[in-house]
Amino acid sequence: MADWQEWPQRLWGDDWIAPMSEVLNINRRTIERWRAGEGEPNIGLQTELRRLALRYGARAIGNVLRRMARGETLKEIKADIREHQIATTRIEVELGKYGSIPILASRNTDALLDD
């Protein structure tokens, strides 16, 4: 893997071509060619990917960027994140009382209370 490919992988995981294409509005085939070693992004783009990928929460940054590329505003994304925080807190509190649905959903009961 070329050095620059580490950065989108940190932002979007192993299947980073589609998210990178969406966020940067670059044809997916171009990015596939870059991944295969046929050229590469310009140094400015590589630098920006690196800067974002080295931040704490790089995967979350990648997710937010992808949602923005799909038309969501930061305000909408923040509201959604707050709702998810409330929902996870409620599930934590109710675990043990009515915990069968979260247990079924998790498929991994050991992971239910992991922070």
Side-chain angles (χ1 to χ4, degrees), residues 50-108:
R50 181 180 186 275
R51 184 185 70 78
L52 293 169
L54 291 177
R55 292 190 176 275
Y56 174 79
R59 187 64 62 90
I61 290 170
N63 289 335
V64 169
L65 292 171
R66 193 169 192 192
R67 290 175 70 171
M68 290 171 64
R70 292 177 173 175
E72 288 184 74
T73 66
L74 283 175
K75 183 177 180 179
E76 292 167 333
I77 295 167
K78 284 180 177 183
D80 183 54
I81 290 168
R82 278 192 295 277
E83 289 176 13
H84 279 82
Q85 288 172 327
I86 291 166
T88 57
T89 299
R90 285 184 182 150
I91 288 171
E92 272 183 331
V93 168
E94 293 181 0
L95 248 145
K97 295 179 188 176
Y98 326 102
S100 60
I101 291 175
I103 288 169
L104 288 171
S106 77
R107 306 281 193 261
N108 180 358

